[in-house]
Amino acid sequence: MNKPAVVVDDVSKMFRIYHERNQSLKAALMRGRRAKYDEFWALKDVSLEIASGQTYGLVGHNGSGKSTLLKTMAKILRPDSGAVETNGKVSALLELGAGFHPELSGRDNVYLNGSILGLSKREIDAKFDDIVGFAGLEDFVDQPVKNYSSGMYVRLGFSIAINVDPEILMVDEILAVGDEEFQRRCMEKFKDFKDDGKTIIVVSHALGTVRTMCDEVAWLDHGRLVETGDPNTIIDKYTDVQVEKVAEAHQHDDDSADRQRTPGLLTLDGVELIGPDGEPTTTVRTGDEVRIRFDFEAKEDIRDDVVVAMWIHGSADGSNLTGPNTDDGGLPLRVSKGRGQVELTVPHLMLLPGVYEAGAAMTDPSRANHYDHKPGILRFTVQSGTPTERYGYFSLGGTWARTI
Ligand SMILES: Nc1ncnc2c1ncn2[C@@H]1O[C@H](COP(=O)(O)OP(=O)(O)OP(=O)(O)O)[C@@H](O)[C@H]1O
Ligand SMILES: [Mg+2]
């Protein structure tokens, strides 16, 4: 039996949050030890085990403690209580630019980081071209890294991290940065790693990616471990909670005690993206006319009007981009027993190239009664089309003109 790659045993991590930030240095020194602070527990009693060879995901809301947990696993932070054991050589790609010296060139930083990660000069010499090549930074390697874009930082950091040949690779949110091409190459590298039996630990808001690449997922909430388990199960539960939070934020008047689910009465059976040729697809282009088709079935006539709602997020960082629904869209919906279908027609899809994930729900107009909701039911890719913009998630559809 192999030893587990990582054992996190009842780990807690506290940060001190100091107040009186604007005091002078002298005042701070005079006050000496009596500085006032609050204790903030970024991790509380977290225990988990990552088997050797597993690809393991950490998910949770912003500030839930994912990066802190990863840093304790990488031994960059020391827990206040509990212990972390790792078996195998660790290479970690943490926050953007961590470990880089801004004034040094890319080349010098490769040597600096390589030696920190335990490589000799000769070993780095041998890997140098691979590192720079994978990062695609051949033309920039002699410039100081302070001139690099955030994408360039991440590419170089990732490239070093994978080329030092670790047994355990830890990466924090690299998929949020970098273009589609780089993300694709990272995924290929992850796959090679996995095939070689190495352990990968990823922190990511890209839930679709976590679902497909991870063998197991841990869900953190306010520094506590909620649950670990199969990626689909955990991510469904996690997104359910997110959806409930959004629904609650929308629901001012309704007493939450009235809120009940009616399982099985009305089910959303499928959500499909229909391309310009009228066929279901998962790949479209910016500017395409597309339709999103929702199929549902009611066990009996539904008394209230029904609202079909969807939300789309960028799979790179999980940010919520838009949430069209039949209510805002002015389509009153009476549902009687049997099957039904609605479509949302989008004359010009303004999403820019990237991978997107959509969830959908059927509720009553007050949003108090969720008949069914399906987070992550649709995942699709948008390829370059018209307009040909590259940055961000969507185009404003504007036109440029010189006016002076
Ligand atoms: N050095 C620090 N000093 C004080 N508080 C910190 C420090 N590092 C993290 N925190 C706090 O600990 C909590 C957990 O932070 P952490 O960065 O681990 O969250 P996260 O899950 O990675 O969030 P995100 O999804 O936004 O990256 C946050 O409230 C954060 O503000
Ligand atoms: Mg983080």
Side-chain angles (χ1 to χ4, degrees):
M1 218 17 222
N2 268 349
K3 276 191 176 174
V6 181
V7 181
V8 175
D9 181 19
D10 206 17
V11 161
S12 298
K13 177 70 199 171
M14 186 259 284
F15 291 114
R16 291 178 173 179
I17 313 291
Y18 288 87
H19 303 295
E20 306 166 64
R21 291 180 50 196
N22 296 325
Q23 287 203 351
S24 68
L25 178 60
K26 185 176 165 205
L29 289 172
M30 301 278 288
R31 198 183 51 231
R33 290 164 173 273
R34 285 167 293 118
K36 286 210 180 96
Y37 59 83
D38 280 337
E39 295 188 349
F40 174 81
W41 291 90
L43 292 175
K44 199 80 181 113
D45 310 327
V46 174
S47 294
L48 54 86
E49 207 171 287
I50 301 175
S52 173
Q54 250 188 337
T55 300
Y56 202 96
L58 301 178
V59 303
H61 61 82
N62 292 120
S64 57
K66 304 179 295 296
S67 298
T68 306
L69 180 57
L70 202 69
K71 284 182 206 159
T72 62
M73 294 200 252
K75 309 277 170 85
I76 287 161
L77 283 179
R78 191 201 299 257
D80 290 286
S81 65
V84 174
E85 178 194 321
T86 52
N87 296 299
K89 179 173 166 186
V90 173
S91 173
L93 179 62
L94 301 169
E95 269 122 27
L96 197 58
F100 282 123
H101 194 304
E103 300 294 334
L104 295 181
S105 66
R107 181 186 302 275
D108 292 341
N109 271 293
V110 169
Y111 280 90
L112 179 68
N113 276 277
S115 64
I116 291 171
L117 292 165
L119 297 190
S120 66
K121 174 161 184 312
R122 184 186 300 202
E123 286 171 312
I124 304 172
D125 285 342
K127 292 173 191 287
F128 187 83
D129 289 345
D130 284 349
I131 293 177
V132 174
F134 184 87
L137 290 173
E138 292 91 340
D139 296 342
F140 303 93
V141 72
D142 290 309
Q143 286 196 21
V145 301
K146 68 178 179 197
N147 296 340
Y148 284 14
S149 69
S150 53
M152 289 158 82
Y153 262 103
V154 170
R155 265 149 47 198
L156 190 59
F158 183 69
S159 191
I160 297 170
I162 54 170
N163 276 293
V164 301
D165 228 10
E167 279 143 341
I168 307 171
L169 176 67
M170 304 181 179
V171 283
D172 196 340
E173 281 300 356
I174 57 159
L175 297 164
V177 199
D179 53 23
E180 222 187 332
E181 157 72 11
F182 177 70
Q183 291 189 17
R184 193 183 53 70
R185 283 193 292 141
C186 289
M187 294 311 291
E188 276 169 17
K189 271 288 167 195
F190 285 140
K191 193 172 170 307
D192 292 349
F193 255 71
K194 199 178 163 71
D195 292 346
D196 290 345
K198 298 186 172 175
T199 310
I200 306 171
I201 306 169
V202 286
V203 168
S204 186
H205 289 282
L207 299 177
T209 311
V210 174
R211 269 181 210 269
T212 46
M213 77 180 273
C214 293
D215 305 310
E216 190 172 346
V217 168
W219 167 17
L220 288 171
D221 189 291
H222 293 100
R224 290 175 187 273
L225 183 67
V226 183
E227 206 176 333
T228 64
D230 156 69
N232 286 321
T233 315
I234 302 290
I235 291 172
D236 281 350
K237 287 189 190 175
Y238 168 59
T239 33
D240 265 12
V241 169
Q242 306 289 97
V243 170
E244 308 241 330
K245 279 186 192 160
V246 172
E248 264 153 34
H250 282 302
Q251 178 193 342
H252 322 286
D253 319 323
D254 278 289
D255 182 357
S256 56
D258 293 346
R259 187 193 164 99
Q260 39 161 315
R261 282 161 184 272
T262 322
L265 183 60
L266 175 58
T267 51
L268 186 60
D269 300 326
V271 178
E272 281 180 317
L273 179 66
I274 313 292
D277 61 357
E279 294 298 322
T281 180
T282 52
T283 306
V284 291
R285 292 185 180 280
T286 308
D288 277 357
E289 175 173 344
V290 302
R291 283 174 291 149
I292 300 166
R293 179 180 292 163
F294 304 80
D295 282 288
F296 49 86
E297 182 163 13
K299 284 233 172 74
E300 50 193 74
D301 295 351
I302 309 288
R303 223 169 356 110
D304 293 324
D305 272 0
V306 169
V307 177
V308 176
M310 77 175 300
W311 55 96
I312 297 180
H313 28 237
S315 85
D317 64 359
S319 47
N320 212 338
L321 302 177
T322 180
N325 62 68
T326 51
D327 191 21
D328 293 344
L331 179 73
L333 211 58
R334 276 271 137 178
V335 172
S336 29
K337 184 172 182 224
R339 307 194 64 84
Q341 186 181 79
V342 293
E343 283 187 356
L344 172 69
T345 299
V346 182
H348 299 285
L349 185 71
M350 290 312 227
L351 292 174
L352 295 178
V355 177
Y356 296 89
E357 229 175 49
M362 298 187 78
T363 72
D364 75 358
S366 71
R367 312 288 198 271
N369 199 347
H370 284 230
Y371 298 107
D372 196 4
H373 73 243
K374 296 267 165 53
I377 193 169
L378 179 66
R379 188 175 153 83
F380 60 94
T381 303
V382 177
Q383 294 179 338
S384 173
T386 319
T388 50
E389 292 171 29
R390 279 179 294 165
Y391 296 107
Y393 285 117
F394 62 91
S395 170
L396 292 176
T399 49
W400 289 96
R402 180 155 182 174
T403 45
I404 290 184

